[in-house]
Amino acid sequence: MDGWTLRRLARELNNALRGARIDRIYQPGERDLVLAVRSAHLGARRLYVSAHQQFARVHFLADERPDNPATPPMFCVLLRKHIEGGRILRVTQPGWDRVLEIEIEALDDLGDRRTYALVCEIMGRHSNIVLVETRDDQSRWIIDSAVRVSEDMSRYRSVLPGIPYVAPPPQPKKPVEACEPEDFLGVDPSAGASRANQMAIVEKLAGTGPVTAREILHRAIARTGSAEPTSIHRAALELRAAVEEGQEPPSVGLDGVGRAVECAPFRLTSRDRFAECETMSDAIRRLFADTGESLRQSRLARELVRAVREHMDRLQGKLVRLEQEWEDAAAEDALRVQAELLTAYAHEVPRGASEVELPNYYDDNRPLRIELDPALDAIGNAQRLFRMAAKRKRARQWIEAEREHTLRDLRYLEDVLQALGDTSLENLEEVRRELEAQGFLAPTGRRGTGGGKRRAAESEPHAFRSSDGLVIRVGRNNIQNDRLTFRKADKRDLWLHVKDAPGSHVVIERGQADEIPERTVEEAAVLAAYFSRMRDSANVPVDVTEIRHVWKPNGARPGFALYDHQRTLYVTPERSLVESIMSRTVAGRETSDSR
């Protein structure tokens, strides 16, 4: 979002929000605000204000309802105290800066009218949201901000409660209305709309970003055939008029699959594909609806992978500790032998001795030195050693159980890590809920709007049709694996899983077929190898058995299964073969008999 975008947005928001009442304020994230506003001509709307370090923006929300923390952050509490219930006077943009100011009139605790401004600084990683009070002498003082900036963090200005507000540092650039053709002499006419020419314009025009610079160059070249200073100057002035007078609709640039990748307050004629939008706010919302989902996916995937790996590291450390404890407890047999020898040779052990050597009849009567408690006789020392041996035995039993439990958790987390290879938002959310249910993640504590808990919709496994027309289903995560294997599949269906490695459950639906062709089984085995940790290996072993021979132990983690009566195939998941199979996708409700 550059200054041109904010110029158009400020005009729109000023027309829409002037006189609107702020009904409620929410803070769904550390740098995000939602203002619920209402007026006679606007109705009830929600304005989203974000100071995200990469995706800062301001726009109206449609049906989106960001989750809110159970306890509002302190900045939200202060905003509610000062400006909730207030009326918006105007929305302005200082010059061509990437700053929006929402001026608000509200009553203080004593009922006196106060004037505030919510200053939205859309400046990349330096973005911020600052609440300032305008006093009678027109001085502006900071009440608080989403991000506090101390002297150590910035040499130019501090952003802290109780000090005067200082605007962001000005840039040595000219506004477009003050420019002359000679200001663009640094642009290479022969380089067209090159990146270097775009940056030359960005460095010259105030508030101009690469998207706007590219559009100016494109229009200048379309007029004269080259990027000449006079043509660039004229194109910039015409584009300014298009923005300020609303001569062109805002638009979003589209990529090859129709996803919005940039937005502008004018027609993006410099792109092969673009879509017009009714308002600048709609264009911004559409852009971040597409890129925001990608952002959320990548962020959620990173968070889940990090959490899983941290748990795996802790479990590996636990295994090391258990191995050490196992070695410490391994003396059980030796202690029991010593106790038995003391019992057998009690008459040869002098009272008060601190040690004794006795013939070890378990080792060809070789002498065995035994340490004693001088306060006990031979039988007393034997009983002490028997107790120590029993304690070591119990410890070994506990260690063995803990070790098995730890190994099962490690295998489960390896399966989860494999499932996170599918980075679709639907799958990531389901994996997150699974990890919460299994106790590996703390519940998010998200509050719904319906007052009760709503069950999340069940996602569907991958489904492909084999060359013989049978449906092959592939679980995308452990929850789906359980559902597919133990709830959805028929006992005569074939079940496949890569041998001794994390991977998806694969099921071939038999339908009414008496036999499943071997070609279909091999294709399903290729999918089982591909959707596993062995994806990049050759001759991957894949076990095949019927569903009736697969079972889940009591208390096992999701995705864990035992099976028998299997046969093993060896397949190589070549990409061309996998792509050929995966190109034959089927709808979720289709079956092997619906051909």
Side-chain angles (χ1 to χ4, degrees):
M1 291 179 64
D2 64 6
W4 295 63
T5 299
L6 289 183
R7 176 62 61 97
R8 181 72 172 260
L9 180 64
R11 290 176 180 272
E12 287 183 2
L13 293 182
N14 187 55
N15 293 334
L17 294 174
R18 190 185 303 163
R21 183 180 187 274
I22 301 176
D23 284 341
R24 194 65 172 162
I25 301 173
Y26 306 95
Q27 189 176 352
E30 180 183 355
R31 292 170 171 256
D32 305 321
L33 294 177
V34 175
L35 307 183
V37 297
R38 181 187 302 273
S39 70
H41 70 279
L42 180 68
R45 297 294 300 271
R46 283 169 293 123
L47 183 70
Y48 184 72
V49 182
S50 175
H52 191 279
Q53 290 180 306
Q54 291 176 274
F55 301 99
R57 76 267 195 193
V58 179
H59 59 82
F60 284 118
L61 296 175
D63 299 325
E64 309 96 318
R65 291 191 176 275
D67 297 314
N68 294 299
T71 302
M74 183 56 65
F75 185 49
C76 182
V77 173
L78 283 170
L79 290 172
R80 289 177 178 178
K81 174 184 176 182
H82 291 285
I83 63 174
E84 196 169 81
R87 294 200 174 273
I88 297 175
L89 301 178
R90 61 187 63 85
V91 180
T92 59
Q93 177 199 24
W96 289 87
D97 292 342
R98 290 181 296 167
V99 176
L100 281 182
E101 296 188 0
I102 304 174
E103 194 172 338
I104 303 157
E105 184 181 73
L107 301 178
D108 63 13
D109 294 337
L110 300 177
D112 296 329
R113 293 185 183 276
R114 300 286 184 184
T115 302
Y116 303 94
L118 196 61
V119 183
C120 312
E121 300 175 352
I122 313 298
M123 304 169 62
R125 63 189 183 93
H126 300 295
S127 297
N128 207 344
I129 306 171
V130 188
L131 178 65
V132 302
E133 179 185 358
T134 303
R135 298 185 178 175
D136 295 338
D137 59 359
Q138 299 305 303
S139 62
R140 309 175 82 189
W141 293 76
I142 298 173
I143 295 176
D144 208 346
S145 57
V147 181
R148 294 182 176 180
V149 181
S150 65
E151 292 179 346
D152 296 334
M153 300 166 64
S154 173
R155 291 176 295 176
Y156 180 80
R157 63 168 186 161
S158 299
V159 183
L160 297 170
I163 67 174
Y165 173 74
V166 177
Q171 294 183 316
K173 300 180 182 182
K174 285 186 178 182
V176 61
E177 61 270 19
C179 284
E180 298 295 337
E182 52 268 24
D183 290 318
F184 300 100
L185 291 175
V187 176
D188 182 359
S190 64
S194 65
R195 178 69 175 173
N197 277 353
Q198 291 177 31
M199 295 313 298
I201 293 178
V202 167
E203 293 170 3
K204 178 60 63 176
L205 286 183
T208 303
V211 173
T212 301
R214 188 188 67 225
E215 186 67 24
I216 291 173
L217 285 167
H218 178 79
R219 297 190 183 203
I221 295 169
R223 181 188 304 278
T224 64
S226 66
E228 295 178 349
T230 302
S231 183
I232 293 173
H233 178 249
R234 185 172 178 182
L237 291 177
E238 290 177 353
L239 201 59
R240 173 202 172 200
V243 171
E244 293 193 329
E245 299 172 16
Q247 297 174 356
E248 294 183 13
S251 65
V252 291
L254 306 177
D255 63 10
V257 295
R259 183 174 53 194
V261 292
E262 61 189 26
C263 67
F266 39 73
R267 290 190 183 95
L268 277 165
T269 61
S270 57
R271 293 194 65 92
D272 294 334
R273 296 182 64 192
F274 68 90
E276 296 180 357
C277 298
E278 186 174 348
T279 66
M280 191 69 248
S281 178
D282 290 340
I284 297 170
R285 187 181 64 82
R286 177 170 176 179
L287 170 65
F288 287 100
D290 288 350
T291 60
E293 181 172 343
S294 300
L295 169 68
R296 184 182 175 198
Q297 286 176 235
S298 61
R299 184 175 63 241
L300 181 57
R302 288 195 302 271
E303 290 174 353
L304 293 177
V305 168
R306 183 175 64 251
V308 169
R309 291 195 182 279
E310 286 176 353
H311 278 290
M312 292 179 70
D313 288 343
R314 283 196 285 269
L315 290 173
Q316 292 286 3
K318 182 178 179 180
L319 277 180
V320 172
R321 293 193 300 273
L322 289 174
E323 291 295 336
Q324 182 60 49
E325 292 176 12
W326 178 268
E327 292 179 3
D328 294 343
E332 173 211 346
D333 292 338
L335 291 172
R336 194 172 298 278
V337 167
Q338 293 178 21
E340 291 178 1
L341 293 179
L342 285 174
T343 302
Y345 297 106
H347 60 284
E348 298 183 12
V349 179
R351 178 177 291 276
S354 59
E355 62 178 35
V356 68
E357 279 193 1
L358 297 174
N360 183 0
Y361 47 73
Y362 288 108
D363 189 20
D364 294 333
N365 287 325
R366 290 189 177 88
L368 177 65
R369 195 172 93 176
I370 304 173
E371 294 184 359
L372 303 174
D373 181 350
L376 301 175
D377 60 12
I379 300 302
N381 273 289
Q383 291 174 345
R384 178 178 65 86
L385 292 174
F386 274 128
R387 287 194 298 270
M388 292 173 62
K391 184 177 180 180
R392 298 287 177 90
K393 182 178 181 179
R394 289 193 300 271
R396 293 184 73 179
Q397 291 172 343
W398 176 86
I399 293 169
E400 188 173 4
E402 279 295 298
R403 183 175 181 274
E404 182 59 31
H405 180 74
T406 303
L407 288 172
R408 285 200 303 268
D409 282 352
L410 272 172
R411 287 194 294 268
Y412 165 73
L413 290 176
E414 287 177 348
D415 283 337
V416 172
L417 205 58
Q418 176 64 34
L420 289 174
D422 180 349
T423 58
S424 66
L425 188 58
E426 177 187 47
N427 183 65
L428 294 175
E429 288 285 6
E430 194 160 41
V431 172
R432 179 185 58 77
R433 291 193 295 270
E434 175 190 337
L435 289 171
E436 288 178 0
Q438 295 301 312
F440 289 102
L441 283 182
T444 54
R446 297 184 175 185
R447 298 184 298 175
T449 56
K453 291 185 177 179
R454 294 180 295 177
R455 183 177 177 178
E458 292 184 351
S459 60
E460 294 296 329
H462 295 302
F464 312 104
R465 196 171 291 280
S466 74
S467 299
D468 302 297
L470 298 182
V471 172
I472 304 172
R473 301 195 188 275
V474 182
R476 297 160 62 191
N477 54 59
N478 287 317
I479 295 296
Q480 283 190 10
N481 287 336
D482 272 8
R483 208 156 51 223
L484 175 63
T485 300
F486 301 113
R487 286 172 48 191
K488 303 286 188 180
D490 183 86
K491 64 180 181 180
R492 295 173 62 247
D493 291 343
L494 276 191
W495 184 86
L496 300 91
H497 194 282
V498 67
K499 187 180 184 68
D500 299 329
S504 296
H505 293 199
V506 178
V507 171
I508 306 173
E509 292 184 351
R510 184 185 295 269
Q512 299 301 317
D514 293 329
E515 296 292 335
I516 296 179
E518 191 64 19
R519 179 171 60 174
T520 291
V521 177
E522 291 177 357
E523 290 178 349
V526 167
L527 291 175
Y530 180 77
F531 289 99
S532 78
R533 195 172 63 184
M534 309 295 288
R535 170 177 295 191
D536 298 317
S537 302
N539 294 321
V540 179
V542 177
D543 286 337
V544 185
T545 189
E546 291 187 344
I547 287 289
R548 60 193 174 125
H549 299 309
V550 184
W551 70 96
K552 188 178 187 66
N554 291 333
R557 298 279 192 188
F560 185 77
L562 298 176
Y563 56 91
D564 54 22
H565 293 79
Q566 74 274 15
R567 64 187 176 102
T568 303
L569 299 179
Y570 290 86
V571 297
T572 299
E574 295 181 357
R575 293 299 184 268
S576 59
L577 178 57
V578 172
E579 290 172 0
S580 174
I581 300 170
M582 294 175 63
S583 68
R584 300 189 293 268
T585 58
V586 300
R589 295 187 178 182
E590 288 188 51
T591 65
S592 291
D593 297 320
S594 56
R595 284 176 279 176

